[in-house]
Amino acid sequence: MRYCLRLSYDGSSFCGWQVQPQSPSVQASLKGVLSRLLGRPVAVTGAGRTDTSVNAVNYIAHFDWEGLLPFEASDFCYKLNAMLPRSVVVHEVFPVADDFHARFSARRREYTYFIHRQKDPFLQAWSWQCGYPGLDFDAMNQACRYLLGTHDFSCFEKTGGDNKTSICTVMDAFWAPYVPSHVQVMGGFTSEGDALPGNSVPLRSTPAPPTVSCVPASQELVSSASPSAVSPSYWYFRIAADRFLRNMVRATVGSLIEVGRGKHKPEWIQELIETGTRGDAGESVPGHALFLNKVSYYEE
């Protein structure tokens, strides 16, 4: 029988999902624990690679086992989590069809990248402090429209990959402000950096993400993420596609940041995709602020 695992992990102590020689990986850790628990070697296949330090929420993996598992599902998860490092948690295990494949059956993958615009000691581990002054998020969202659709994204691909094609279909791409939970619950800092006096000043509520559809570049981008007169301090970038190339999201974020800094016009993203190389695009942003947060196995 084929079984599916839904898990999450903090990637800071791993070289990524995939097994790498001489480096700790999530796949190797999970494979080792499964094999010890079940008493014989077990191969584990994941939904896809993640880079070094990149995190994942609700990641999907599968493994094969002859017959029923020797434990109830809840006990199986409990035992796995007791043996796995604290940076990995298995949420559930359940049987799936024999032809289900964690990687090849996936139809859509979604990543989220977090940045904060001022120093915040409570976000350093999972968000990138991007202190460039005057980032233009309107321009960055305008640039996002050139990512939508089916393109060759080799300009954002790290060299040395073994994929057969660099063509991907991007369904969503946008920047939006948010308020972290610790700011909402305990108070924090305004966008100007002044401490809020306890609970006496109401906090801005978290907005719904903007609606962005795959429209031609000639049409206006529809987005509710336009910054107010005082730009929020916390932002996230979300992108969804049928597949992603090695380092693609981090290079895309770095390039969009260059647009926000005014170094390039939004149309530069289109030029990169059409004629650019990896050396023409922006620098890759740090991996610790990137999350693979959703893998879908049906058309949305």
Side-chain angles (χ1 to χ4, degrees), residues 5 76 144 155 176 207 287:
L5 294 165
F76 192 66
C144 284
C155 64

Side-chain angles (χ1 to χ4, degrees), residues 148-165:
L148 303 175
T150 302
H151 308 286
D152 184 327
F153 286 97
S154 55
C155 64
F156 299 132
E157 179 184 10
K158 187 174 182 178
T159 58
D162 57 357
N163 52 289
K164 296 179 179 179
T165 177

